[in-house]
Amino acid sequence: MRNETRGTVELTLAMVLSGTLGVFVVESGASPFEVVFFRCLFGAAALGAYSLARGFFTGHGFTGRKLGLAALGGVFIVFNWVFLFEAYEATSISLATVVYHTQPFFLVLLGAVFLRERISAGKLGWLALAFAGLVLVSGVRPGETASLKGLGFALAAAVLYALAAAVLYALATFVTKRITGVRPHLIALVQVLTGLPLLLPFADFGATAGLGTGWLWLVGLGIVHTGLMYVLMYAAYAKLPTAKIAVLAFTYPAVAMGVDWAVYGHHIGLVQALGVPLIVLASLKVTLSGSAPARVVAPAPRTAGHEPEAASPAATRAG
């Protein structure tokens, strides 16, 4: 199998796994804080075992500063997950996932504010288009007070949760991009380990006693969605060009929407559906613009160094 073909298969599989994330979260029956805690716990075990087997701890490349940056990125990442999973509960996996994919635009804004990167007129146009898509997807119509009541409140809360998750993901990527010479697997490991003491004050472990088969879903989140999925993605990044990675990244929301419909019967309405291609198109254009900050699937955004294992300078986003 050709190198690029293999990378395409690996990244496609990773994005398909990403699309099933919401089902694992919902079916676990645990609250978002407990879900994220155990995702960090089982994910750390999976990533640690893989890194040990591959010998990544030898010559790891960490310094005190890099370790601190990785931990700071972990703070943003774990709360990004909490907000995203709260959005699943407030509305549907489909809507939360689509809104969550506004992440690239927050990275553009962060780059403009902190790095003084210029936002071109074209990029401003794509940002405006994405915002229009977000308004359509939210389903809240200006001037219709009824849309702000009942289900509208839940929908608005979901949008806010998903937007908060997107902002936190962008912050994590922004911080972790400053780490060079460290394998992304090790950065991811530090970030999930950071989540364990961070979430202890918020998690109600007594509530997990009666989860039963829900534990299998939680173990799956750690091993499949935080171990296997990231290993597949990091392996694929070194084999694929930026444009292909950016396009394949949208396998994730497509699968998430299909799974949400197949398992729970959830689907977004016609007006909301009109906003989806606007967000996808604008996100893809910003991703491929070349001047946008690079983005990599959480929890370990792109790092330089260790080129065979490091991520490609591309945009791929997963929960």
Side-chain angles (χ1 to χ4, degrees):
M1 185 182 292
R2 287 174 49 242
N3 214 32
E4 184 170 331
T5 302
R6 182 174 179 178
T8 300
V9 172
E10 289 170 338
L11 189 54
T12 301
L13 286 174
M15 292 298 98
V16 170
L17 289 176
S18 298
T20 66
L21 177 77
V23 174
F24 278 68
V25 172
V26 173
E27 292 300 313
S28 73
S31 74
F33 279 107
E34 283 81 61
V35 169
V36 176
F37 179 88
F38 287 107
R39 181 183 187 183
C40 288
L41 179 63
F42 297 127
L47 287 169
Y50 178 81
S51 298
L52 182 63
R54 294 293 304 273
F56 291 166
F57 291 110
T58 303
H60 50 74
F62 273 120
T63 62
R65 177 181 176 276
K66 292 176 184 179
L67 195 61
L69 285 173
L72 179 60
V75 173
F76 294 136
I77 282 299
V78 296
F79 283 109
N80 147 69
W81 286 343
V82 169
F83 278 113
L84 178 61
F85 298 166
E86 289 280 7
Y88 290 162
E89 288 191 354
T91 181
S92 68
I93 295 169
S94 299
L95 179 61
T97 302
V98 171
V99 176
Y100 185 60
H101 275 70
T102 58
Q103 298 157 359
F105 309 107
F106 293 107
L107 277 171
V108 170
L109 295 176
L110 285 171
V113 172
F114 293 104
L115 300 181
R116 298 183 180 180
E117 294 178 345
R118 178 177 169 272
I119 303 179
S120 65
K123 194 172 293 182
L124 283 173
W126 291 117
L127 288 170
L129 185 67
F131 180 76
L134 183 60
V135 171
L136 289 173
V137 165
S138 73
V140 179
R141 298 174 177 80
E144 293 185 10
T145 56
S147 65
L148 298 176
K149 298 178 181 179
L151 181 61
F153 278 123
L155 189 59
V159 170
L160 289 175
Y161 281 135
L163 283 174
V167 171
L168 287 170
Y169 172 81
L171 285 168
T173 304
F174 188 77
V175 169
T176 311
K177 274 185 63 188
R178 272 68 199 157
I179 304 173
T180 59
V182 181
R183 293 184 184 276
H185 308 78
L186 296 180
I187 297 176
L189 178 59
V190 170
Q191 290 178 332
V192 293
L193 286 173
T194 300
L196 296 177
L198 191 65
L199 294 171
L200 271 177
F202 304 99
D204 179 9
F205 298 110
T208 63
L211 287 181
T213 57
W215 283 105
L216 297 177
W217 296 99
L218 291 177
V219 172
L221 277 170
I223 295 177
V224 176
H225 294 93
T226 317
L228 175 61
M229 186 175 75
Y230 291 130
V231 168
L232 285 171
M233 287 188 296
Y234 297 147
Y237 290 152
K239 304 181 182 80
L240 298 174
T242 297
K244 178 167 283 190
I245 294 176
V247 172
L248 289 175
F250 288 99
T251 305
Y252 164 34
V255 171
M257 293 173 72
V259 169
D260 196 23
W261 172 78
V263 178
Y264 301 113
H266 294 160
H267 60 86
I268 61 178
L270 178 60
V271 174
Q272 292 173 304
L274 294 175
V276 174
L278 299 184
I279 292 175
V280 169
L281 177 61
S283 177
L284 192 58
K285 287 292 186 180
V286 169
T287 295
L288 297 177
S289 65
S291 57
R295 298 177 303 286
V296 174
V297 181
R302 176 177 178 265
T303 61
H306 295 297
E307 289 301 328
E309 295 289 342
S312 167
T316 306
R317 300 171 298 284

